[in-house]
């Protein structure tokens, strides 16, 4: 009897022990999962924290690169809106048998009555053989007021280039305020004209046209530009002649499309520089030679500027009112040149010559440039 009771007790103890072991194993598995989850959480935290510490703290100077990319996207979307009417305007304005237009740029400050726009157009009306060119002018307007004034004067010849977040309406003096952005805005847009297959003669609006300059240009040349300050006599010398971006004739082809794309991208290599400076930096680059671009410079006798000490009234076609600070100074001196031209050409006083642009001369403290010998 006693032996049977002990056997029963032993059997019960064994069952309890086994049950306890099963419970312990189950809890151990739960504990391991909990520990594993905790370790994984800690590990992920360490990895994330360490990775964050590896991200560099970029200085403020990097910000303009991001802004530049955003600006490019804005420009592309803005041009997409204008393209709806652009091709119609270009088709109407282009010269017969040629897809060639005369392009210029205007903001509100230049559009004011009796200001730069009016002087510019007046020169076409009184110039020798220039009135016929008026229908071929297309004005790139940088703000609503300039666009409205343009439509009043030259209907169906005005394009509004809207640029979000930039005020182009005020007078932007050379390299001041949004001047540089304004210059690059036009380069971007003119490049799009080449893609549409249009040749263009771009002229700054602070110019007066006294004779038709097209006979002075050479056919089948990719890129022809006025000279900055002086011309050394060699039409193909990129090394010594410098481009004046205020007057250039560009033929639409794959070479000039590549030039404008490369030119526009090169602004990132030279931050803060405007388009003319950058083009003069890159004009002899290996890439320009590689694409086979034919670049030719225009004699300052034909297309001159206020930067020169004198001009030949019997030969000059276009005069650029640069080397001048202040729109009022510029307008006064350009009007003076038109008066001298009227006395010479309109009244037949063949001894008349141009007076010096003294308002502009004083505004920049102008000094005669050193003389350069012409080659050839």
């Amino acid at each position: 009897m006693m032996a049977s009771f002990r056997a029963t007790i032993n059997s019960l103890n064994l069952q309890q022990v086994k049950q306890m072991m099963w419970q312990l194993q189950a809890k151990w598995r739960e504990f391991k999962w909990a520990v594993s989850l905790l370790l994984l959480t800690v590990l992920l935290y360490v990895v994330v924290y360490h990775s964050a510490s590896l991200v560099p703290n970029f200085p403020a100077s990097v910000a303009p690169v991001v802004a530049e990319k955003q600006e490019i996207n804005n420009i592309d979307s803005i041009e997409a809106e204008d393209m709806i009417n652009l091709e119609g305007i270009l088709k109407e304005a282009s010269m017969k048998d040629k897809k060639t237009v005369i392009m210029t740029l205007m903001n509100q400050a230049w559009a004011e009555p009796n200001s730069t726009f009016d002087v510019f157009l007046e020169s076409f009306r009184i110039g020798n053989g220039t009135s016929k060119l008026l229908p071929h002018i297309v004005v790139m307007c940088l703000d609503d007021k300039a666009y409205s004034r343009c439509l009043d004067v030259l209907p169906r010849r005005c394009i509004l280039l809207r640029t979000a977040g930039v005020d182009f309406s005020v007078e932007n003096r050379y390299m001041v305020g949004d001047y540089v952005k304004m210059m690059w805005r036009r380069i971007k847009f003119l490049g799009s004209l080449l893609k549409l297959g249009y040749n263009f003669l771009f002229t700054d609006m602070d110019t007066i046209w006294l004779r038709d300059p097209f006979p002075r240009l050479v056919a089948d040349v990719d890129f022809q530009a006025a000279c900055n300050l002086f011309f050394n006599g060699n039409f193909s010398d990129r090394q010594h002649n410098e481009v004046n971006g205020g007057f250039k004739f560009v033929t639409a082809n794959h070479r000039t499309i590549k030039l404008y794309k490369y030119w526009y991208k090169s602004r990132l290599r030279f931050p803060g520089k405007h388009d003319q400076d950058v083009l003069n930096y890159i004009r002899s680059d290996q890439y320009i030679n590689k694409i086979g671009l034919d670049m030719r410079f225009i004699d300052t006798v034909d297309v001159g500027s206020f930067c020169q000490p004198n001009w030949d009234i019997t030969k000059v076609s276009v005069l650029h009112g640069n080397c001048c600070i202040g729109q009022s100074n510029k307008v006064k001196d350009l009007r003076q040149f038109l008066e001298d031209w009227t006395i010479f050409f309109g009244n037949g006083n063949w001894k008349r010559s141009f007076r010096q642009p003294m308002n502009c001369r004083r505004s920049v403290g102008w000094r005669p440039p050193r003389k350069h010998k012409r080659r050839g």
Side-chain angles (χ1 to χ4, degrees):
M1 179 89 178
M2 206 54 190
S4 176
F5 177 76
R6 288 177 178 175
T8 300
I9 293 297
N10 290 336
S11 176
L12 288 172
N13 288 340
L14 183 59
Q15 290 177 358
Q16 289 177 348
V17 170
K18 288 182 177 180
Q19 187 175 2
M20 289 176 63
M21 290 296 295
W22 289 336
Q23 291 176 349
L24 287 171
Q25 288 176 354
K27 289 185 176 183
W28 174 248
R29 285 195 296 270
E30 291 176 2
F31 177 74
K32 285 196 299 182
W33 277 109
V35 171
S36 298
L37 183 61
L38 178 62
L39 289 173
L40 181 60
T41 302
V42 172
L43 180 62
L44 287 174
Y45 175 79
V46 171
V47 170
V48 171
Y49 178 80
H50 183 65
S51 298
S53 67
L54 293 177
V55 177
N57 183 19
F58 289 110
S61 60
V62 177
V65 177
V66 178
E68 190 64 58
K69 291 180 180 178
Q70 292 172 346
E71 182 184 348
I72 293 170
N73 292 334
N74 288 339
I75 287 174
D76 291 339
S77 63
I78 291 162
E79 287 186 359
E81 297 174 11
D82 292 321
M83 287 295 177
I84 298 173
N85 299 318
L86 176 60
E87 291 200 61
I89 293 173
L90 293 174
K91 186 175 181 180
E92 290 181 18
S94 61
M95 300 177 182
K96 291 182 179 180
D97 303 325
K98 299 177 183 178
K99 293 182 71 174
T100 299
V101 290
I102 299 170
M103 302 296 301
T104 191
L105 187 75
M106 179 170 71
N107 64 358
Q108 178 185 339
W110 286 21
E112 295 292 338
N114 300 315
S115 189
T116 311
F117 187 34
D118 290 332
V119 175
F120 175 71
L121 295 178
E122 183 182 349
S123 72
F124 280 84
R125 298 186 184 104
I126 68 174
N128 183 9
T130 51
S131 60
K132 65 184 179 184
L133 300 175
L134 277 168
H136 306 300
I137 297 174
V138 177
V139 183
M140 298 177 284
C141 303
L142 295 171
D143 55 78
D144 291 327
K145 290 188 177 180
Y147 183 61
S148 177
R149 177 80 203 291
C150 180
L151 290 176
D152 289 341
V153 180
L154 295 175
R156 292 292 299 168
R157 294 294 183 269
C158 313
I159 301 169
L160 177 58
L161 303 184
R162 292 176 291 269
T163 305
V166 181
D167 182 11
F168 287 143
S169 63
V170 298
E171 178 185 0
N172 283 290
R173 293 183 177 181
Y174 185 76
M175 298 303 291
V176 176
D178 287 325
Y179 176 87
V180 174
K181 291 181 180 179
M182 187 166 67
M183 296 301 99
W184 285 116
R185 182 67 178 94
R186 76 180 183 185
I187 296 300
K188 177 71 173 178
F189 184 77
L190 290 173
S192 68
L193 298 190
L194 297 173
K195 294 177 183 178
L196 292 174
Y198 283 90
N199 315 315
F200 62 82
L201 195 164
F202 175 81
T203 176
D204 276 347
M205 189 167 280
D206 57 342
T207 56
I208 52 174
W209 287 46
L210 305 177
R211 294 180 176 87
D212 182 356
F214 282 96
R216 315 287 178 95
L217 302 176
V218 178
D220 301 323
V221 174
D222 297 329
F223 186 94
Q224 300 176 67
C227 290
N228 196 32
L229 300 181
F230 75 96
F231 171 63
N232 78 340
N234 185 336
F235 294 99
S236 301
D237 189 352
R238 298 185 199 173
Q239 184 177 356
H240 299 97
N241 293 316
E242 290 189 356
V243 173
N244 180 343
F247 188 94
K248 49 186 175 286
F249 181 71
V250 187
T251 302
N253 57 44
H254 69 279
R255 292 180 296 276
T256 53
I257 291 172
K258 289 179 180 179
L259 167 67
Y260 267 73
K261 185 176 180 180
Y262 180 68
W263 186 1
Y264 187 73
K265 285 185 175 181
S266 294
R267 78 198 187 286
L268 301 177
R269 291 167 51 193
F270 306 98
K273 297 294 184 181
H274 66 85
D275 60 312
Q276 179 175 296
D277 280 345
V278 173
L279 180 57
N280 281 315
Y281 294 151
I282 67 172
R283 69 187 188 275
S284 297
D285 276 7
Q286 184 177 356
Y287 178 79
I288 303 298
N289 296 326
K290 181 180 178 180
I291 64 176
L293 183 81
D294 186 6
M295 181 181 292
R296 181 181 173 88
F297 294 88
I298 303 171
D299 197 328
T300 50
V301 170
D302 298 323
V303 179
S305 74
F306 282 3
C307 299
Q308 297 170 231
N310 48 61
W311 314 265
D312 188 342
I313 198 171
T314 66
K315 296 180 180 179
V316 67
S317 292
V318 178
L319 272 167
H320 189 186
N322 55 356
C323 287
C324 188
I325 296 177
Q327 185 178 205
S328 61
N329 292 324
K330 184 172 295 193
V331 170
K332 288 176 183 177
D333 285 346
L334 286 172
R335 284 199 177 280
Q336 175 184 285
F337 271 65
L338 288 183
E339 291 172 5
D340 293 337
W341 168 258
T342 301
I343 294 171
F344 167 79
F345 181 72
N347 298 342
N349 185 347
W350 307 117
K351 295 182 179 181
R352 186 71 180 194
S353 60
F354 290 122
R355 289 168 287 172
Q356 291 290 317
M358 294 311 300
N359 293 289
C360 288
R361 293 281 197 251
R362 286 189 289 265
S363 73
V364 296
W366 183 86
R367 296 287 185 276
R370 64 184 181 87
K371 293 183 179 181
H372 295 268
K373 291 184 178 180
R374 292 196 170 209
R375 302 180 181 185

Short mmCIF file of all heavy atoms in Angstrom, two decimals, residues 218-254:
data_model
loop_
_atom_site.label_atom_id
_atom_site.label_comp_id
_atom_site.label_asym_id
_atom_site.label_seq_id
_atom_site.Cartn_x
_atom_site.Cartn_y
_atom_site.Cartn_z
N VAL A 218 27.91 89.17 -92.92
CA VAL A 218 28.39 88.17 -93.87
C VAL A 218 27.46 86.96 -93.84
O VAL A 218 27.11 86.46 -92.77
CB VAL A 218 29.83 87.75 -93.53
CG1 VAL A 218 30.32 86.68 -94.50
CG2 VAL A 218 30.76 88.96 -93.55
N ALA A 219 27.05 86.51 -95.02
CA ALA A 219 26.15 85.36 -95.10
C ALA A 219 26.85 84.08 -94.64
O ALA A 219 28.07 83.94 -94.77
CB ALA A 219 25.66 85.21 -96.54
N ASP A 220 26.06 83.18 -94.10
CA ASP A 220 26.51 81.83 -93.71
C ASP A 220 27.54 81.84 -92.58
O ASP A 220 28.32 80.88 -92.46
CB ASP A 220 27.09 81.09 -94.93
CG ASP A 220 26.07 80.96 -96.06
OD1 ASP A 220 24.89 80.75 -95.75
OD2 ASP A 220 26.47 81.06 -97.23
N VAL A 221 27.58 82.86 -91.78
CA VAL A 221 28.41 82.87 -90.57
C VAL A 221 27.51 82.57 -89.38
O VAL A 221 26.42 83.14 -89.27
CB VAL A 221 29.13 84.22 -90.38
CG1 VAL A 221 29.87 84.26 -89.05
CG2 VAL A 221 30.12 84.45 -91.52
N ASP A 222 27.94 81.69 -88.49
CA ASP A 222 27.09 81.27 -87.38
C ASP A 222 26.77 82.40 -86.41
O ASP A 222 25.62 82.60 -86.02
CB ASP A 222 27.77 80.13 -86.60
CG ASP A 222 27.99 78.89 -87.44
OD1 ASP A 222 27.17 78.64 -88.35
OD2 ASP A 222 28.99 78.19 -87.21
N PHE A 223 27.81 83.12 -85.99
CA PHE A 223 27.66 84.09 -84.91
C PHE A 223 28.49 85.32 -85.24
O PHE A 223 29.70 85.24 -85.36
CB PHE A 223 28.13 83.45 -83.60
CG PHE A 223 27.90 84.29 -82.37
CD1 PHE A 223 26.76 84.13 -81.60
CD2 PHE A 223 28.83 85.23 -81.97
CE1 PHE A 223 26.55 84.89 -80.45
CE2 PHE A 223 28.64 86.00 -80.83
CZ PHE A 223 27.50 85.83 -80.07
N GLN A 224 27.81 86.49 -85.39
CA GLN A 224 28.50 87.74 -85.66
C GLN A 224 28.13 88.73 -84.57
O GLN A 224 26.95 88.90 -84.25
CB GLN A 224 28.09 88.29 -87.03
CG GLN A 224 28.41 87.33 -88.17
CD GLN A 224 27.93 87.83 -89.52
OE1 GLN A 224 28.43 88.83 -90.04
NE2 GLN A 224 26.97 87.13 -90.10
N ALA A 225 29.12 89.39 -84.00
CA ALA A 225 28.87 90.27 -82.87
C ALA A 225 29.68 91.55 -82.98
O ALA A 225 30.78 91.57 -83.54
CB ALA A 225 29.20 89.56 -81.55
N ALA A 226 29.13 92.62 -82.42
CA ALA A 226 29.86 93.88 -82.31
C ALA A 226 31.03 93.70 -81.35
O ALA A 226 31.04 92.79 -80.53
CB ALA A 226 28.93 94.98 -81.82
N CYS A 227 32.00 94.57 -81.47
CA CYS A 227 33.18 94.51 -80.60
C CYS A 227 32.99 95.40 -79.39
O CYS A 227 32.37 96.46 -79.46
CB CYS A 227 34.43 94.95 -81.36
SG CYS A 227 34.97 93.80 -82.62
N ASN A 228 33.55 94.97 -78.30
CA ASN A 228 33.54 95.76 -77.08
C ASN A 228 34.80 96.63 -77.06
O ASN A 228 35.91 96.13 -77.08
CB ASN A 228 33.49 94.84 -75.86
CG ASN A 228 33.10 95.55 -74.61
OD1 ASN A 228 32.31 96.50 -74.63
ND2 ASN A 228 33.63 95.13 -73.48
N LEU A 229 34.62 97.93 -77.04
CA LEU A 229 35.69 98.94 -76.96
C LEU A 229 36.45 99.14 -78.26
O LEU A 229 36.53 100.24 -78.77
CB LEU A 229 36.68 98.61 -75.83
CG LEU A 229 36.08 98.52 -74.42
CD1 LEU A 229 37.18 98.22 -73.40
CD2 LEU A 229 35.38 99.83 -74.06
N PHE A 230 37.04 98.07 -78.83
CA PHE A 230 37.83 98.28 -80.05
C PHE A 230 37.80 97.04 -80.93
O PHE A 230 37.47 95.94 -80.49
CB PHE A 230 39.28 98.64 -79.70
CG PHE A 230 40.10 97.45 -79.24
CD1 PHE A 230 40.91 96.76 -80.13
CD2 PHE A 230 40.05 97.03 -77.92
CE1 PHE A 230 41.65 95.66 -79.72
CE2 PHE A 230 40.79 95.95 -77.50
CZ PHE A 230 41.60 95.26 -78.39
N PHE A 231 38.14 97.24 -82.21
CA PHE A 231 38.25 96.15 -83.19
C PHE A 231 39.66 96.17 -83.73
O PHE A 231 40.17 97.20 -84.16
CB PHE A 231 37.24 96.38 -84.32
CG PHE A 231 37.39 95.45 -85.49
CD1 PHE A 231 37.21 94.08 -85.34
CD2 PHE A 231 37.71 95.95 -86.74
CE1 PHE A 231 37.34 93.23 -86.42
CE2 PHE A 231 37.84 95.10 -87.83
CZ PHE A 231 37.65 93.74 -87.66
N ASN A 232 40.33 95.01 -83.72
CA ASN A 232 41.74 95.00 -84.08
C ASN A 232 42.00 94.79 -85.57
O ASN A 232 43.15 94.67 -85.99
CB ASN A 232 42.49 93.94 -83.27
CG ASN A 232 42.27 92.52 -83.77
OD1 ASN A 232 41.30 92.26 -84.49
ND2 ASN A 232 43.15 91.60 -83.40
N GLY A 233 40.93 94.72 -86.37
CA GLY A 233 41.12 94.59 -87.82
C GLY A 233 41.00 93.18 -88.34
O GLY A 233 40.86 92.96 -89.54
N ASN A 234 41.04 92.19 -87.45
CA ASN A 234 40.91 90.79 -87.86
C ASN A 234 39.53 90.30 -87.44
O ASN A 234 39.24 90.14 -86.26
CB ASN A 234 42.00 89.95 -87.18
CG ASN A 234 42.01 88.51 -87.64
OD1 ASN A 234 41.00 87.99 -88.11
ND2 ASN A 234 43.14 87.85 -87.49
N PHE A 235 38.68 90.03 -88.43
CA PHE A 235 37.29 89.68 -88.16
C PHE A 235 37.12 88.35 -87.42
O PHE A 235 36.09 88.11 -86.80
CB PHE A 235 36.50 89.63 -89.47
CG PHE A 235 36.39 90.97 -90.15
CD1 PHE A 235 37.23 91.31 -91.19
CD2 PHE A 235 35.44 91.89 -89.74
CE1 PHE A 235 37.13 92.54 -91.82
CE2 PHE A 235 35.32 93.13 -90.36
CZ PHE A 235 36.17 93.46 -91.40
N SER A 236 38.12 87.48 -87.49
CA SER A 236 38.00 86.15 -86.88
C SER A 236 38.85 85.98 -85.63
O SER A 236 38.94 84.87 -85.09
CB SER A 236 38.41 85.08 -87.92
OG SER A 236 37.60 85.16 -89.07
N ASP A 237 39.46 87.05 -85.15
CA ASP A 237 40.39 86.96 -84.02
C ASP A 237 39.62 86.94 -82.68
O ASP A 237 39.27 87.99 -82.13
CB ASP A 237 41.36 88.13 -84.05
CG ASP A 237 42.47 87.99 -83.02
OD1 ASP A 237 42.41 87.06 -82.19
OD2 ASP A 237 43.42 88.81 -83.05
N ARG A 238 39.38 85.75 -82.15
CA ARG A 238 38.66 85.61 -80.88
C ARG A 238 39.54 85.96 -79.69
O ARG A 238 39.05 86.31 -78.62
CB ARG A 238 38.16 84.17 -80.70
CG ARG A 238 37.17 83.71 -81.73
CD ARG A 238 36.67 82.33 -81.36
NE ARG A 238 36.08 81.64 -82.48
CZ ARG A 238 35.69 80.37 -82.46
NH1 ARG A 238 35.85 79.68 -81.35
NH2 ARG A 238 35.16 79.81 -83.52
N GLN A 239 40.82 85.84 -79.88
CA GLN A 239 41.73 86.06 -78.76
C GLN A 239 41.82 87.52 -78.36
O GLN A 239 41.88 87.86 -77.17
CB GLN A 239 43.12 85.51 -79.09
CG GLN A 239 44.10 85.61 -77.94
CD GLN A 239 45.45 84.99 -78.28
OE1 GLN A 239 45.64 84.42 -79.36
NE2 GLN A 239 46.39 85.10 -77.36
N HIS A 240 41.82 88.42 -79.35
CA HIS A 240 42.06 89.84 -79.06
C HIS A 240 40.79 90.70 -79.17
O HIS A 240 40.71 91.75 -78.53
CB HIS A 240 43.14 90.39 -79.98
CG HIS A 240 44.47 89.71 -79.82
ND1 HIS A 240 44.88 88.69 -80.65
CD2 HIS A 240 45.45 89.88 -78.91
CE1 HIS A 240 46.08 88.27 -80.27
NE2 HIS A 240 46.45 88.98 -79.22
N ASN A 241 39.83 90.30 -80.00
CA ASN A 241 38.56 91.03 -80.06
C ASN A 241 37.62 90.51 -78.99
O ASN A 241 37.53 89.30 -78.77
CB ASN A 241 37.91 90.85 -81.44
CG ASN A 241 38.69 91.50 -82.55
OD1 ASN A 241 39.15 92.63 -82.41
ND2 ASN A 241 38.85 90.79 -83.66
N GLU A 242 36.92 91.42 -78.34
CA GLU A 242 35.95 91.03 -77.31
C GLU A 242 34.53 91.31 -77.79
O GLU A 242 34.27 92.31 -78.45
CB GLU A 242 36.20 91.78 -76.00
CG GLU A 242 37.48 91.36 -75.30
CD GLU A 242 37.58 91.97 -73.91
OE1 GLU A 242 36.69 92.77 -73.54
OE2 GLU A 242 38.54 91.65 -73.21
N VAL A 243 33.62 90.40 -77.44
CA VAL A 243 32.23 90.51 -77.87
C VAL A 243 31.50 91.59 -77.08
O VAL A 243 31.64 91.70 -75.87
CB VAL A 243 31.51 89.16 -77.67
CG1 VAL A 243 30.01 89.30 -77.97
CG2 VAL A 243 32.13 88.09 -78.56
N ASN A 244 30.72 92.39 -77.79
CA ASN A 244 29.74 93.28 -77.16
C ASN A 244 28.38 92.60 -77.31
O ASN A 244 27.83 92.51 -78.41
CB ASN A 244 29.74 94.65 -77.84
CG ASN A 244 28.74 95.61 -77.23
OD1 ASN A 244 27.84 95.22 -76.50
ND2 ASN A 244 28.90 96.89 -77.53
N GLY A 245 27.82 92.13 -76.18
CA GLY A 245 26.58 91.37 -76.23
C GLY A 245 25.37 92.17 -76.63
O GLY A 245 24.28 91.61 -76.83
N GLY A 246 25.52 93.49 -76.78
CA GLY A 246 24.38 94.34 -77.12
C GLY A 246 24.02 94.37 -78.59
O GLY A 246 23.02 95.01 -78.97
N PHE A 247 24.80 93.68 -79.45
CA PHE A 247 24.47 93.64 -80.88
C PHE A 247 25.11 92.39 -81.47
O PHE A 247 26.33 92.29 -81.54
CB PHE A 247 24.99 94.89 -81.60
CG PHE A 247 24.52 95.02 -83.02
CD1 PHE A 247 23.38 95.74 -83.31
CD2 PHE A 247 25.20 94.41 -84.06
CE1 PHE A 247 22.94 95.86 -84.63
CE2 PHE A 247 24.78 94.50 -85.37
CZ PHE A 247 23.64 95.24 -85.66
N LYS A 248 24.26 91.45 -81.88
CA LYS A 248 24.79 90.21 -82.46
C LYS A 248 23.76 89.58 -83.40
O LYS A 248 22.56 89.64 -83.16
CB LYS A 248 25.16 89.22 -81.36
CG LYS A 248 24.11 88.99 -80.29
CD LYS A 248 24.64 88.11 -79.19
CE LYS A 248 23.65 87.95 -78.04
NZ LYS A 248 23.57 89.19 -77.23
N PHE A 249 24.28 89.02 -84.48
CA PHE A 249 23.43 88.30 -85.43
C PHE A 249 23.77 86.81 -85.34
O PHE A 249 24.93 86.42 -85.48
CB PHE A 249 23.66 88.80 -86.85
CG PHE A 249 22.79 88.10 -87.87
CD1 PHE A 249 21.43 88.35 -87.91
CD2 PHE A 249 23.33 87.20 -88.75
CE1 PHE A 249 20.61 87.69 -88.82
CE2 PHE A 249 22.54 86.54 -89.68
CZ PHE A 249 21.17 86.79 -89.72
N VAL A 250 22.74 85.99 -85.13
CA VAL A 250 22.94 84.55 -84.90
C VAL A 250 22.10 83.76 -85.88
O VAL A 250 20.88 83.98 -85.99
CB VAL A 250 22.57 84.17 -83.45
CG1 VAL A 250 22.97 82.71 -83.18
CG2 VAL A 250 23.26 85.09 -82.45
N THR A 251 22.74 82.86 -86.60
CA THR A 251 22.06 81.98 -87.54
C THR A 251 21.64 80.70 -86.84
O THR A 251 22.43 80.08 -86.12
CB THR A 251 22.98 81.64 -88.72
OG1 THR A 251 23.41 82.85 -89.36
CG2 THR A 251 22.29 80.76 -89.74
N ALA A 252 20.40 80.29 -87.04
CA ALA A 252 19.88 79.10 -86.37
C ALA A 252 20.43 77.83 -87.02
O ALA A 252 20.16 77.56 -88.19
CB ALA A 252 18.36 79.09 -86.41
N ASN A 253 21.22 77.09 -86.28
CA ASN A 253 21.70 75.77 -86.72
C ASN A 253 22.15 75.00 -85.49
O ASN A 253 22.09 75.51 -84.37
CB ASN A 253 22.83 75.90 -87.76
CG ASN A 253 24.00 76.71 -87.26
OD1 ASN A 253 24.46 76.55 -86.12
ND2 ASN A 253 24.51 77.62 -88.10
N HIS A 254 22.59 73.77 -85.68
CA HIS A 254 22.93 72.93 -84.52
C HIS A 254 24.14 73.48 -83.76
O HIS A 254 24.26 73.28 -82.55
CB HIS A 254 23.20 71.50 -84.99
CG HIS A 254 24.45 71.33 -85.80
ND1 HIS A 254 24.52 71.62 -87.15
CD2 HIS A 254 25.70 70.90 -85.44
CE1 HIS A 254 25.73 71.37 -87.59
NE2 HIS A 254 26.48 70.94 -86.58
#
